[in-house]
Amino acid sequence: MEYYPLFAFGIANLPMLGWLAAAAAPVVIHLLSRRRYAEVSWAAMEYLLAAVKKQRRRLRFEQWLLLAVRTLIVVLLVLAVAEPYFQRTGPAPAGAGRIHRVLVLDGSFSMAYRPTDRSRFEQAKQLAGELVEESRRGDAFTLVLMASPPAVVIGAPAMEPGEVLGEIDRLKCTDTTIDGPATVDKVRRIVQNARRENPGLGRHEVYFLTDLQRVGWEPNKTSEPRGLSPRRTLPQDKPGGLLNTATIAVIDLGQPDAENLAVADLSTLDPVATLAADVRFEVCLKNFGRKARNNQPIELLIDRRRVARKHIDIAAGEERSVEFTYRFDTPGDHIVEVRADGDALPTDNRRFMVVPVRESLRVLCIDGRPSGEPFGGAADYLAAALSPAGDSNRQTSVQVDLAPESALIERDLGQYDCVFICNVAQFTAGEARVMDAYLGAGGNVVFFLGEAVTAQRYNRRLYDTSDDTHILPARLGEIVPAGVYHIDPMEYRHPIVRAFRGREKAGLSAVPIFRYFKLTVPKDSGAMVVLKTTQGDPLIVEASVGRGRVVLVGASADVSWTPLPLWPSFVPLVQEMLAFCAGGELRQRNVAVGEPIVASVPSAVADLSASVHCPDGRTQPVTIHTDGDCSTLSFDGTTVGGIYTVRLGEPIERAWNFAANIDTTESNLARITIDQLRRDLWPEVVLLKISEPPDLSWDKAWRGDKPHGSLVFSEQQPGMSIAQPARLHVYLLYVVLGLLLTETCLAWRYGYNTP
Amino acid sequence: MENSQNYLDPKVLARLEGLSLRARLIVEGYASGVHRSPFHGFSIEFAEHREYVPGDDLRYLDWKVLGRTDKYHLKQFEEETNLDCYLLLDTSESMQYKSAEAALSKLEYAKCVGAALAYLVLKQQDSVGLATFDREVRALVRPGSKASHIKQIINVMEESVGGRKTAVGPIFHELAERFTRRGIVVVLSDLFDDVESMLAGLKHFRHRRHEVVLMHVLDPAELDFPFRRTTMFRGLEELPEVLVEPGPLRKAYLDQFGAYVHRLKQGCRMHRIDYVQMRTDQSLEVALSSYLASRR
């Protein structure tokens, strides 16, 4: 230990000290009284002068004494209002009663930082263990792991040190960030319950063993970590908060200038991976340290095997992207991993991705008006665009099945990545249920409309349904009068049309549309408008339904309402539509740490068992929830980054891989300052800084063999404690009261208050 | 019409114009209370007997008649005008002081007392004279016994306005030389001067076989020092000013003043001089009777 604020003195209400200027008031009043006086002509002057001469020194002394007392009264009163406190750590005083200690270990992944051979988390565990061992008989412990969400390991005060030590030993660092508000709330409840249910515990002490990382501890400021909801930050302690019920000690395990490089992101530029095309991976690295990292190696591993390695220079604070290309040669789930090793925090040096690779995408095109003529049916152009002759497109290899509308019932939709429905007049309730189940299991449906479509029946079956089969992202209205309309690309913001950005010559906005259904998108429905007509009417709308996606196109897929199928922009538009829909599976397979893993399972099998094998070696059973025709399993224990394997038991015997990646906002090892912690959060906190891991020991720390070790444990009285903060203002007020009485007595004695 | 005894109250007197009126009312008020004059001449010429009435001085009871007849008769003598009363009135600047608590200044109070005494003396056909002084004798009225003499004395008193420094000792010496005929010297002054010098002057009177009565006229503020606020005391009679916090100084001042009065009283006792302290907020009855009653 290098720093022991064993005696902490502070001011809870610092701005009140401004009133110390009022201490000048007695002096000012005295001086003013010398300027404002009565005048008297006096006959017995000789005797007055004699009295003045004789008493001059005594009078001066009395005046100074009274002035000093009055000034001191003001100073002490202001100090009392400012609520100074004094706190010390050290041996628990004799007769202090039993102590309840809440041990809160920071389990965020920054605690995996290894300044030496031991990580911060290992140091925290050691200190916590020694704190338990050094305690006196009868002291009680509770244990909380500070993570997101925080885990209460021991919720009720445990008196048996062996059990507590065992739990501490079993603690593992998570790959999550810390949820400060939730942790503080849990600790507050633990303390409140302990006070209520264990009145014999005379004192409650909360020890936060943490690296004081700014992103977790900074109060009342919001940051926006990527991909997650806004981070909740610690609220300032309020009346009734933790400070009022317990004494808080923050044990600082952090290092001031910790260097760190993180793989901030790993993504594919191609939403669907097939054997037919190369897949491009983009890796984003960020240097959070203060030193440049030159010739930093970055490795790409596919299925645990290194397939590529690059070196880059990255300056301090810089964020750089690196692109890798790889063509898969076997279908199925492939595990992609990127590594950028070389710093003391290994957790964020790796990032994972599960890429489901297919030989080809399977698409079902349902033609509502099939024709024997080439390109006479409603879906002929679409089928050609999805799988152009020669299949030389680089994105996907698509296998298209063209079928009449009866295929909705007759075929197993689960074998298709996407179903395109073109100009089908109406749907039965059974067809709507099939589509709903298909979407719930992660399937995708694209609707093209046409003359045969009956808007009223579409709305009744797929939009205004009494049950929950709400499939369409927009309500169908009237067919607009025949005319020449054009497309408003809406700045190509939506992913489906983003490929057209900068390629205006593809002619998407120049395509004439003669007729289309007027679509109405309800507000706050979550549906997104992909394209509009120049009249302002939505033309293509998409939304998530179940675990799949639905795209609704207001125009036809044939040339009856628009020549778009004949234009060059039709093929990329349809291909992007398919990629957008089929790419949903990639998103579902890759989650952030803390997010649940959700997978669809066949609902036909009863008593199906499932388990999840976690990256840290745990295997946990998972329950399957069945809802109608759709069964899903959900696992919310993604506390560490890596690959999670979901296995279904007999008779299916199937496995999926999922990747969970850490939130790299925690990679920024910048720390909150002690002053800020005291000023904004807990003004009365005791802070112990630990920076020399070889010296990690309460025993060594307190025994006084260090220059600052002014507190020494008594051999006869083991056990250390944080003294309750001495609220000095009460004593100050007593002193003020005493001084007021003294002032009154002195003034009376000296004749200043003579009646 | 006010009760005549009310005129012994300085507050009532302060409302009256004219020293003559004040003096007459004081004497009437006082006389109605005691019924007897405190001043008596001394004579050896026996005139007649008269029957004793309660209140008469037993010194003049004829014991022989009482022995013979068992009746109480007093001997009455032929009265003679053989008492000279010299009133010495201090008119210095310090005598003009009047505090908020007092209705009359020390000089006004002394004038009232002096005039009343003169009135009393003349009423008994004795002689009364007056000298006013500060650092020198300002006016001198020879003793006279005519009833009209009171007017002259009162006129001199009314015309006396203070405003100068006091030098009491040398004045007493000077007056002692002037007052050749033996009598009673009544000094009306605040006596703010050197005590030894004053006592030396008074001793001179005693040496001339005068009876001396020292009427020490003081303002209540001088005796009590009741000031609270920070005050600038501006000295009278060419003394400097001083800014003081009166509260803490009160005791020291009272000690100093008490020591001065004590020295004065001690000197008077040593020289067999009657010392009478008069507060200007005090009823004149108290002031007069405390002395005159002792002279019966």
Side-chain angles (χ1 to χ4, degrees):
Chain A
M1 291 195 184
E2 64 170 20
Y3 159 52
Y4 313 86
L6 303 177
F7 293 92
F9 180 80
I11 302 289
N13 205 350
L14 202 59
M16 285 307 297
L17 289 186
W19 285 97
L20 278 178
V27 181
V28 171
I29 290 169
H30 174 75
L31 293 176
L32 284 176
S33 72
R34 303 284 298 179
R35 293 170 63 98
R36 299 178 60 184
Y37 50 81
E39 287 189 38
V40 169
S41 295
W42 188 244
M45 198 68 191
E46 191 179 333
Y47 315 102
L48 183 62
L49 288 172
V52 169
K53 187 177 177 184
K54 191 175 178 184
Q55 300 293 325
R56 189 181 302 276
R57 292 183 70 178
R58 183 182 69 84
L59 288 174
R60 188 167 295 170
F61 169 75
E62 288 174 359
Q63 280 188 344
W64 277 111
L65 186 61
L66 271 176
L67 208 58
V69 170
R70 287 165 182 170
T71 305
L72 199 58
I73 287 171
V74 177
V75 169
L76 294 182
L77 192 63
V78 171
L79 276 178
V81 176
E83 291 189 46
Y85 61 86
F86 175 74
Q87 194 171 35
R88 69 172 180 84
T89 50
R98 292 162 57 210
I99 301 168
H100 168 217
R101 293 188 175 91
V102 186
L103 304 175
V104 186
L105 275 72
D106 185 345
S108 63
F109 78 75
S110 64
M111 288 290 285
Y113 187 84
R114 289 179 174 274
T116 56
D117 60 331
R118 279 187 300 174
S119 69
R120 294 170 175 173
F121 191 72
E122 287 165 346
Q123 295 171 27
K125 284 170 66 172
Q126 181 187 341
L127 284 170
E130 290 183 2
L131 187 57
V132 174
E133 288 170 352
E134 294 281 355
S135 296
R136 295 176 304 175
R137 184 184 297 274
D139 288 351
F141 296 89
T142 44
L143 185 61
V144 176
L145 185 67
M146 196 174 190
S148 182
V152 177
V153 182
I154 304 175
M159 314 285 182
E160 181 54 53
E163 292 177 8
V164 180
L165 288 171
E167 290 295 344
I168 291 173
D169 192 48
R170 282 189 285 276
L171 284 179
K172 286 186 178 176
C173 190
T174 71
D175 285 351
T176 63
T177 56
I178 63 171
D179 187 343
T183 306
V184 171
D185 192 50
K186 280 188 186 298
V187 170
R188 188 172 53 79
R189 287 185 189 184
I190 285 171
V191 172
Q192 284 175 349
N193 289 340
R195 284 163 67 100
R196 188 172 57 249
E197 294 169 9
N198 300 76
L201 295 170
R203 204 159 69 237
H204 303 267
E205 299 173 354
V206 181
Y207 292 82
F208 287 93
L209 294 103
T210 176
D211 57 2
L212 280 178
Q213 208 179 357
R214 178 176 293 278
V215 292
W217 283 94
E218 193 166 41
N220 294 334
K221 290 178 183 172
T222 55
S223 57
E224 298 266 358
R226 65 189 72 200
L228 292 177
S229 57
R231 183 189 295 279
R232 292 195 301 156
T233 52
L234 282 170
Q236 286 179 306
D237 204 56
K238 294 175 181 170
L242 200 53
L243 266 185
N244 294 333
T245 52
T247 304
I248 299 172
V250 175
I251 298 165
D252 182 8
L253 294 155
Q255 291 76 36
D257 297 316
E259 294 289 321
N260 187 34
L261 178 82
V263 180
D265 196 21
L266 168 62
S267 59
T268 62
L269 298 174
D270 306 297
V272 179
T274 65
L275 299 178
D278 290 344
V279 180
R280 293 169 298 153
F281 296 100
E282 187 178 53
V283 180
C284 177
L285 288 102
K286 185 162 185 181
N287 183 0
F288 289 98
R290 297 182 180 180
K291 294 177 185 170
R293 304 288 287 266
N294 296 323
N295 206 27
Q296 169 69 41
I298 305 141
E299 297 175 341
L300 177 71
L301 291 85
I302 303 291
D303 298 326
R304 320 283 186 194
R305 186 171 56 85
R306 192 173 78 189
V307 296
R309 181 185 177 101
K310 289 186 178 180
H311 292 82
I312 62 165
D313 296 338
I314 181 164
E318 188 186 14
E319 185 173 319
R320 287 196 63 182
S321 294
V322 180
E323 192 173 313
F324 290 97
T325 304
Y326 184 75
R327 177 173 293 215
F328 293 96
D329 52 9
T330 55
D333 288 355
H334 290 273
I335 297 168
V336 179
E337 180 184 348
V338 172
R339 287 184 183 171
D341 291 328
D343 62 22
L345 181 57
T347 312
D348 59 5
N349 293 343
R350 303 160 72 188
R351 206 159 182 90
F352 302 90
M353 178 179 258
V354 170
V355 180
V357 180
R358 308 221 176 75
E359 290 183 38
S360 62
L361 287 175
R362 293 200 67 186
V363 175
L364 175 63
C365 283
I366 294 177
D367 192 340
R369 287 290 177 269
S371 165
E373 299 289 324
F375 297 100
D380 292 345
Y381 289 96
L382 185 67
L386 285 169
S387 185
D391 194 11
S392 60
N393 72 87
R394 66 169 182 80
Q395 286 185 316
T396 60
S397 174
V398 183
Q399 183 182 334
V400 180
D401 290 349
L402 198 58
E405 57 185 283
S406 60
L408 274 176
I409 299 291
E410 293 166 354
R411 297 198 184 187
D412 176 15
L413 297 186
Q415 62 185 309
Y416 295 102
D417 296 293
C418 190
V419 177
F420 283 76
I421 298 173
C422 303
N423 201 17
V424 172
Q426 58 181 314
F427 301 97
T428 63
E431 289 169 335
R433 275 199 304 276
V434 167
M435 278 193 285
D436 188 56
Y438 172 62
L439 287 164
N444 305 285
V445 180
V446 179
F447 291 93
F448 277 88
L449 306 180
E451 285 185 346
V453 169
T454 308
Q456 187 183 2
R457 292 181 179 176
Y458 262 64
N459 291 332
R460 192 175 70 217
R461 289 283 179 218
L462 306 180
Y463 190 80
D464 298 328
T465 55
S466 56
D467 52 13
D468 291 334
T469 53
H470 188 89
I471 293 173
L472 287 180
R475 183 185 175 81
L476 271 58
E478 298 289 322
I479 301 172
V480 297
V484 177
Y485 307 99
H486 289 93
I487 292 172
D488 173 8
M490 300 174 67
E491 301 175 359
Y492 305 106
R493 285 195 296 267
H494 196 275
I496 292 176
V497 292
R498 197 171 288 159
F500 291 91
R501 187 182 291 169
R503 297 186 177 92
E504 281 73 16
K505 287 182 181 176
L508 184 65
S509 59
V511 177
I513 297 169
F514 307 124
R515 303 188 76 182
Y516 62 91
F517 273 99
K518 211 165 182 172
L519 303 178
T520 306
V521 180
K523 286 182 181 175
D524 304 325
S525 66
M528 301 276 289
V529 177
V530 180
L531 289 176
K532 282 182 179 178
T533 64
T534 48
Q535 271 62 41
D537 298 322
L539 185 66
I540 302 177
V541 182
E542 65 89 7
S544 294
V545 177
R547 296 181 54 237
R549 287 188 179 276
V550 174
V551 179
L552 174 61
V553 182
S556 63
D558 57 21
V559 294
S560 59
W561 282 10
T562 172
L564 175 63
L566 300 174
W567 283 52
S569 51
F570 185 66
V571 174
L573 179 65
V574 171
Q575 292 281 350
E576 290 296 328
M577 221 177 269
L578 174 61
F580 176 74
C581 290
E585 185 178 7
L586 189 68
R587 287 190 292 276
Q588 289 160 12
R589 292 295 190 89
N590 296 281
V591 299
V593 167
E595 285 185 334
I597 289 172
V598 181
S600 297
V601 296
S603 58
V605 182
D607 300 329
L608 187 64
S609 65
S611 64
V612 174
H613 184 72
C614 302
D616 55 1
R618 292 174 294 149
T619 299
Q620 295 188 353
V622 188
T623 53
I624 297 171
H625 303 281
T626 303
D627 183 15
D629 297 334
C630 181
S631 292
T632 55
L633 65 81
S634 177
F635 174 71
D636 55 5
T638 55
T639 54
V640 294
I643 301 301
Y644 290 78
T645 305
V646 176
R647 295 183 191 280
L648 294 181
E650 292 179 350
I652 295 179
E653 295 282 354
R654 186 178 167 187
W656 297 273
N657 286 323
F658 291 81
N661 284 297
I662 58 172
D663 175 4
T664 52
T665 52
E666 183 84 7
S667 297
N668 186 351
L669 299 180
R671 290 147 40 76
I672 189 171
T673 64
I674 305 312
D675 288 341
Q676 194 178 3
L677 187 73
R678 285 211 178 102
R679 187 183 62 234
D680 298 341
L681 205 61
W682 292 318
E684 297 178 8
V685 71
V686 169
L687 188 104
L688 309 176
K689 180 179 174 60
I690 292 166
S691 63
E692 301 285 344
D695 290 341
L696 277 181
S697 166
W698 291 110
D699 185 59
K700 286 181 186 172
W702 305 117
R703 278 186 197 283
D705 54 355
K706 296 285 184 286
H708 302 283
S710 56
L711 286 180
V712 180
F713 265 124
S714 163
E715 296 291 345
Q716 289 75 31
Q717 189 189 14
M720 62 149 298
S721 173
I722 306 169
Q724 290 285 11
R727 295 175 184 271
L728 299 179
H729 65 276
V730 177
Y731 304 108
L732 286 175
L733 286 173
Y734 280 126
V735 175
V736 167
L737 188 62
L739 284 175
L740 281 170
L741 291 172
T742 306
E743 194 271 344
T744 307
C745 291
L746 285 177
W748 174 79
R749 172 80 176 79
Y750 297 155
Y752 287 90
N753 289 340
T754 307
Chain B
M1 185 76 181
E2 299 249 13
N3 185 309
S4 57
Q5 285 194 17
N6 289 347
Y7 294 108
L8 295 168
D9 185 352
K11 290 177 184 170
V12 178
L13 282 176
R15 297 204 299 264
L16 301 177
E17 290 291 334
L19 191 54
S20 174
L21 179 61
R22 284 181 183 179
R24 188 165 55 80
L25 289 171
I26 289 165
V27 173
E28 283 176 3
Y30 180 73
S32 69
V34 298
H35 300 293
R36 291 192 60 201
S37 166
F39 289 92
H40 291 271
F42 48 91
S43 173
I44 55 170
E45 294 287 329
F46 174 75
E48 57 181 352
H49 282 96
R50 76 167 171 83
E51 199 169 353
Y52 170 82
V53 290
D56 283 343
D57 194 338
L58 292 176
R59 283 183 298 176
Y60 303 113
L61 190 69
D62 193 332
W63 298 98
K64 292 178 181 173
V65 174
L66 178 63
R68 283 200 306 270
T69 64
D70 206 21
K71 289 182 179 174
Y72 299 96
H73 280 91
L74 297 183
K75 289 187 283 187
Q76 288 201 316
F77 300 89
E78 196 74 34
E79 284 192 345
E80 290 182 0
T81 305
N82 51 9
L83 174 69
D84 279 355
C85 180
Y86 303 99
L87 298 174
L88 307 188
L89 179 64
D90 182 358
T91 60
S92 64
E93 188 183 11
S94 65
M95 286 292 285
Q96 289 184 316
Y97 178 69
K98 181 176 88 70
S99 67
E101 290 78 20
L104 298 171
S105 71
K106 290 189 284 185
L107 182 60
E108 290 170 325
Y109 193 91
K111 284 178 180 176
C112 290
V113 173
L117 289 176
Y119 197 82
L120 271 174
V121 172
L122 288 174
K123 228 179 158 185
Q124 297 184 157
Q125 284 80 43
D126 289 328
S127 296
V128 64
L130 172 69
T132 61
F133 65 93
D134 39 53
R135 64 183 169 199
E136 58 190 44
V137 177
R138 293 291 166 188
L140 184 63
V141 180
R142 294 276 170 197
S145 59
K146 291 181 182 173
S148 60
H149 193 63
I150 188 72
K151 285 185 181 174
Q152 191 184 354
I153 285 174
I154 284 175
N155 280 341
V156 170
M157 280 187 180
E158 283 184 330
E159 287 167 7
S160 299
V161 285
R164 294 178 186 81
K165 193 172 163 47
T166 321
V168 180
I171 297 294
F172 287 171
H173 284 296
E174 182 187 339
L175 291 173
E177 290 297 326
R178 287 194 186 191
F179 297 159
T180 52
R181 197 176 165 200
R182 180 176 160 236
I184 298 176
V185 176
V186 179
V187 180
L188 295 155
S189 169
D190 57 8
L191 300 172
F192 287 161
D193 200 356
D194 178 55
V195 175
E196 302 309 322
S197 165
M198 282 189 295
L199 289 173
L202 294 170
K203 190 179 171 186
H204 197 164
F205 282 121
R206 292 293 296 152
H207 182 72
R208 289 282 182 168
R209 302 181 66 191
H210 291 293
E211 281 188 55
V212 180
V213 180
L214 198 58
M215 294 197 162
H216 194 184
V217 183
L218 291 170
D219 191 275
E222 290 166 343
L223 288 163
D224 300 337
F225 205 66
F227 305 99
R228 301 288 302 276
R229 293 176 54 197
T230 306
T231 307
M232 172 71 82
F233 290 92
R234 300 196 185 282
L236 299 174
E237 300 190 11
E238 301 171 13
L239 284 168
E241 63 185 19
V242 62
L243 180 66
V244 294
E245 194 76 45
L249 201 64
R250 181 170 182 269
K251 185 175 179 304
Y253 166 81
L254 293 179
D255 287 348
Q256 288 287 327
F257 199 79
Y260 148 75
V261 172
H262 177 71
R263 285 204 311 278
L264 202 56
K265 283 182 175 174
Q266 204 172 30
C268 291
R269 199 159 49 243
M270 189 182 298
H271 301 304
R272 287 184 295 166
I273 296 167
D274 292 330
Y275 174 87
V276 183
Q277 191 177 81
M278 294 181 162
R279 292 171 61 107
T280 57
D281 61 343
Q282 197 175 31
S283 164
L284 273 85
E285 179 190 22
V286 180
L288 290 171
S289 65
S290 62
Y291 169 68
L292 296 177
S294 67
R295 295 193 60 80
R296 285 173 192 164

